[in-house]
Amino acid sequence: MMITRQDTDAARVLQGLEDDRPSVRLRAALAVGTTPDPRFVDELVERCAIEPEFLVRDMLTWALTRHPVAVTLPALIREVRSERAQARSQALHTLSKIGDRRAWPAITRTLLSDADDEVARSAWRAAVILVPEGEEATLAAVLATQLGRGERETQLSLSRALVALGDVIAPALLAATTAPDLCVRAHAHATRRLLCDPDAGFEFAIEEAKRVVALGGCGQEGR
């Protein structure tokens, strides 16, 4: 069988994606994105699941966005069901960058409440981009079930996702302000504050919310 120069170049790029040196992997991902080839899609998706360097993962995502959606979408939708948290997170992140709403059915309630914070945050960001028109209120109700979850960074991600949906989140937030869990109530109040005043800082909003609910510490009442 004849081995073409194109085959040789492809083999070199794929080897680069597996190199021990991050700089080499970064250049390889850049090369794949610069000259898209559907043969690389599966390798890019698989590499996203295990790549330890943020900058390289970001370049891998960029490279995937440069390929035909018809090829990348099925591979990424399969990946969001992976047992590996990083695989799910990166696939969701890439879907949010591609922005094709045909991926919406893959954003399940299970992903939106994933036990891994990074996966859940990626799912929230993807959901607000991919949600079909008319389903924003339903999505807001699902996202509101995650209020009070995690540390400040996770809570801020959720608040940003909710605020991005606009005024449709108001009923879900209002209901959450009477939740038994003080953390949920404080987070709901803080998100309402951000909805009314997007320029307000999250730290200010959460501290103000604590005062509103007279919170002395994040208890776990009602959980």
Side-chain angles (χ1 to χ4, degrees), residues 45-221:
V45 171
E46 290 174 10
R47 187 66 211 178
C48 282
I50 59 174
E51 173 55 52
E53 298 292 331
F54 171 79
L55 288 178
V56 180
R57 291 199 303 272
D58 210 36
M59 188 65 76
L60 291 167
T61 287
W62 173 78
L64 282 165
T65 66
R66 297 269 297 161
H67 286 77
V69 175
V71 179
T72 57
L73 212 58
L76 292 168
I77 289 173
R78 287 194 301 270
E79 197 73 351
V80 301
R81 299 190 291 268
S82 172
E83 294 183 357
R84 292 179 291 189
Q86 183 172 304
R88 299 195 301 277
S89 177
Q90 282 300 123
L92 287 162
H93 174 65
T94 306
L95 287 172
S96 73
K97 294 298 184 182
I98 293 173
D100 191 305
R101 286 184 169 176
R102 286 176 293 179
W104 170 247
I107 312 300
T108 63
R109 187 173 186 132
T110 298
L111 286 171
L112 293 170
S113 59
D114 198 283
D116 186 278
D117 283 346
E118 197 57 43
V119 175
R121 290 170 59 191
S122 294
W124 302 337
R125 289 191 293 268
V128 299
I129 291 171
L130 301 176
V131 61
E133 186 176 353
E135 294 192 33
E136 294 90 349
T138 300
L139 174 59
V142 175
L143 293 181
T145 66
Q146 302 301 297
L147 287 165
R149 168 179 175 162
E151 302 298 328
R152 291 293 173 87
E153 188 176 5
T154 298
Q155 292 188 7
L156 176 57
S157 290
L158 180 59
S159 291
R160 284 174 171 165
L162 283 163
V163 169
L165 293 174
D167 292 338
V168 297
I169 70 174
L173 290 181
L174 181 61
T177 60
T178 61
D181 190 309
L182 297 178
C183 279
V184 173
R185 285 157 57 189
H187 195 183
H189 277 292
T191 305
R192 291 182 76 194
R193 178 76 168 84
L194 290 176
L195 179 63
C196 295
D197 181 9
D199 293 328
F202 185 70
E203 289 298 324
F204 172 79
I206 198 71
E207 291 304 323
E208 182 180 73
K210 287 182 179 181
R211 290 193 292 272
V212 170
V213 299
L215 179 60
C218 282
Q220 299 296 315
E221 295 86 341

Side-chain angles (χ1 to χ4, degrees), residues 30-50:
L30 175 61
V32 175
T34 301
T35 310
D37 185 330
R39 293 178 300 171
F40 293 142
V41 168
D42 286 341
E43 180 69 22
L44 291 170
V45 171
E46 290 174 10
R47 187 66 211 178
C48 282
I50 59 174

